[in-house]
Amino acid sequence: MSIHLSEVIAAVINLVIFYFFMKKFFFKKLEAVITERNNMIRKSLDQAEADKLEAAKTFEIAKIEAEKAKETGKGIIKDFKTRAENLYDEIVDEARQEGKLIVKRAEMDADRELENARKEMREEVVGLATILSKKVLGEEITEEVHERLVDEVIQKVGV
């Protein structure tokens, strides 16, 4: 196997012609595709960075909103607690007033019953006094005498 100079020169010339042919028809298109792809990658990286910054801002805003919501929730809970305490106090006051009213009614009922019992006792005492005075005197007594005797008996009995 021998290498001929003419074959080497022909191969170099073919290589140079092939290079210029490729440069004329393919390298510019290939370079344009590579540049376009490089720009797309750069654009994607820039967009990713912008999205990352936007996400960080959104996270901070959400964090602030969550704190506001938490504070608002605390305020609402405090408000409801105050309302509940006020309602409790109102209910307790109403119950006390109703209890006092019940006691007052019971006292009035007791006083009424006592007065009724006194009236009944007075009527019985009057009846007994009338019967006794008739037996003692043996005669009919006038209305004045009857009243005077009843009053005396009541004072003695203490009704």
Side-chain angles (χ1 to χ4, degrees):
M1 257 206 186
S2 67
I3 298 180
H4 299 302
L5 182 62
S6 63
E7 286 178 8
V8 171
I9 292 176
V12 169
I13 291 173
N14 281 336
L15 186 60
V16 169
I17 291 171
F18 181 69
Y19 174 76
F20 284 117
F21 178 75
M22 291 296 282
K23 184 176 179 183
K24 174 117 178 140
F25 293 109
F26 293 112
F27 283 166
K28 286 183 183 178
K29 289 181 184 178
L30 185 60
E31 188 177 324
V33 169
I34 290 172
T35 303
E36 184 181 335
R37 181 72 176 145
N38 194 10
N39 287 340
M40 277 182 23
I41 291 171
R42 203 172 273 130
K43 198 177 202 183
S44 292
L45 288 174
D46 290 344
Q47 184 63 40
E49 187 65 28
D51 290 347
K52 182 179 175 184
L53 291 174
E54 185 65 28
K57 286 179 187 177
T58 304
F59 177 75
E60 286 300 318
I61 291 171
K63 190 175 176 183
I64 291 169
E65 290 296 321
E67 281 296 319
K68 286 181 185 178
K70 186 176 180 182
E71 290 301 317
T72 302
K74 285 181 182 178
I76 290 171
I77 289 171
K78 184 178 179 181
D79 184 44
F80 278 127
K81 184 177 179 183
T82 303
R83 286 182 186 180
E85 288 172 353
N86 290 340
L87 184 60
Y88 171 80
D89 291 342
E90 288 176 16
I91 290 171
V92 168
D93 287 343
E94 285 179 17
R96 283 185 184 141
Q97 290 175 359
E98 194 169 328
K100 287 179 183 178
L101 185 62
I102 290 170
V103 168
K104 189 173 183 177
R105 283 183 192 155
E107 287 174 351
M108 288 172 58
D109 288 344
D111 288 344
R112 197 175 317 118
E113 288 294 321
L114 182 62
E115 189 60 35
N116 287 339
R118 282 183 181 167
K119 280 182 185 179
E120 286 179 19
M121 193 186 295
R122 184 169 193 230
E123 288 173 7
E124 283 188 35
V125 168
V126 168
L128 287 174
T130 304
I131 293 171
L132 284 176
S133 63
K134 281 183 186 179
K135 283 190 178 185
V136 168
L137 296 176
E139 61 188 62
E140 227 20 71
I141 56 173
T142 65
E143 193 69 33
E144 281 179 16
V145 174
H146 183 286
E147 287 292 323
R148 186 177 47 82
L149 288 173
V150 167
D151 287 338
E152 285 176 16
V153 169
I154 289 174
Q155 284 181 6
K156 285 182 184 177
V157 172
V159 176

